[in-house]
Amino acid sequence: ETTANVSSEIEYTITGIEPGAGITQATDNALTEYENLSGWEQETSSTAAMLTALGDAIDNEEPIVVTGWSPHYMFAKYDLKYLEDPEGVFGGVEYIATIVRKGLKEDMPEAYTILDRFQWEPADMESVMLAAQDIDFEKAAQQWVDENQETVAEWTDGVEPVDGTPIELVLTPWDTERSSANVAKVVLEQQGYDVTLTPVDPSVMFQAIAEGDGDASLAPWMPQTHAAFYEEYEGQFEDLGKNLTGAKIGLVVPSYMDIDSIEDLEP
Ligand code: PBE
């Protein structure tokens, strides 16, 4: 099968996810940056629909190009590869940052300290995501906390308990962020906080923290995925740095497809 066949077979269409995602924006940028993609389109819908389309294509050994990211179970479930991105549109290694509203340090120093210390590895996040395939995220997060008491103790060491102070964490609606937000929720509740989780689009997440509607978020993907949103509100929130390193976004295809680079897609 030639690459031209592959491209026409999938009707020059990349199977995307939610319109508001950072990766959707990056994919639109790729359609502009890569000359060979000038006639291509991104079809957005939802993460669930993308995963269904990917599974169906793989069942039939058909070609498909999706917007994909790690950590994600799709890489454990299927044999997949990222297409090389010589123009660097999707960035390299991404990290996930923690941002808080201005004044949080003064208003809730205990939560601020815990959020500032919150840091874990992709394998930790993956274990919560995997457990959450069978139980809800809250239980999966509780299980991770129970099994990682030493790490949690490093985050909470010397922090005074509080008595029911409400705190609102803003997250984006993907499993990676459901994992971190729910683990933060369990840890902050252990400390005596009354935690609300509010899922929103990435642009709204930055706006909410900038305007003080939400207290904190562990969901910004940087330096590339959410850069445009970050820059729009830069200076209006406090960046507490990385909570996870080793994430990635890009165009993803089944390994049986005979292409390696975005440049191999035919115009
Ligand atoms: N994602 C997962 C999100 C951030 C986390 C890569 C799909 C996005 O593109 O905005």
Side-chain angles (χ1 to χ4, degrees):
E1 192 165 48
T2 69
T3 55
N5 281 342
V6 163
S7 298
S8 69
E9 214 177 307
I10 61 174
E11 293 174 338
Y12 307 94
T13 302
I14 293 163
T15 303
I17 59 165
E18 288 79 0
I23 197 172
T24 305
Q25 180 70 60
T27 302
D28 279 339
N29 294 343
L31 295 182
T32 317
E33 286 291 315
Y34 285 91
E35 263 174 50
N36 57 307
L37 294 184
S38 61
W40 282 66
E41 276 174 28
Q42 174 178 206
E43 191 174 275
T44 57
S45 56
S46 67
T47 297
M50 177 277 285
L51 291 168
T52 301
L54 179 64
D56 288 349
I58 288 172
D59 284 346
N60 299 307
E61 250 198 70
E62 285 167 352
I64 187 166
V65 180
V66 303
T67 60
W69 62 94
S70 332
H72 196 285
Y73 73 76
M74 67 177 111
F75 289 93
K77 189 167 179 185
Y78 305 120
D79 205 356
L80 303 173
K81 60 187 174 188
Y82 279 102
L83 292 180
E84 287 159 23
D85 171 27
E87 297 289 344
V89 172
F90 293 96
V93 178
E94 293 280 281
Y95 63 86
I96 309 180
T98 301
I99 61 171
V100 301
R101 69 167 169 84
K102 291 205 162 172
L104 189 80
K105 189 175 186 175
E106 292 73 36
D107 300 345
M108 301 185 206
E110 300 84 2
Y112 180 94
T113 298
I114 293 171
L115 291 165
D116 196 19
R117 290 175 180 168
F118 187 116
Q119 222 184 326
W120 62 346
E121 304 291 327
D124 296 309
M125 183 181 259
E126 279 163 8
S127 80
V128 176
M129 289 193 287
L130 183 67
Q133 303 267 317
D134 302 318
I135 53 178
D136 63 36
F137 272 94
E138 208 155 347
K139 288 204 186 90
Q142 182 67 57
Q143 194 172 299
W144 185 89
V145 167
D146 293 344
E147 287 165 3
N148 291 272
Q149 284 295 312
E150 265 177 45
T151 306
V152 173
E154 284 171 23
W155 303 343
T156 57
D157 182 41
V159 178
E160 295 293 326
V162 302
D163 191 12
T165 309
I167 184 166
E168 182 174 347
L169 302 182
V170 179
L171 63 146
T172 57
W174 291 283
D175 286 3
T176 38
E177 280 55 56
R178 291 187 184 107
S179 302
S180 52
N182 276 282
V183 168
K185 181 173 193 272
V186 169
V187 174
L188 289 168
E189 282 176 350
Q190 241 171 238
Q191 204 69 23
Y193 282 95
D194 179 6
V195 183
T196 308
L197 299 187
T198 308
V200 296
D201 273 359
S203 64
V204 179
M205 158 181 72
F206 285 96
Q207 186 186 12
I209 304 304
E211 293 176 356
D213 293 336
D215 293 302
S217 178
L218 297 98
W221 279 44
M222 295 296 291
Q224 192 86 5
T225 310
H226 294 150
F229 307 126
Y230 186 101
E231 281 157 21
E232 193 178 340
Y233 293 100
E234 195 162 13
Q236 301 175 57
F237 55 81
E238 193 183 341
D239 187 341
L240 300 185
K242 302 172 183 180
N243 62 58
L244 176 145
T245 307
K248 185 169 169 61
I249 65 169
L251 297 186
V252 170
V253 300
S255 297
Y256 54 73
M257 280 177 70
D258 196 18
I259 56 171
D260 293 310
S261 168
I262 296 173
E263 288 184 333
D264 294 335
L265 297 168
E266 293 288 321

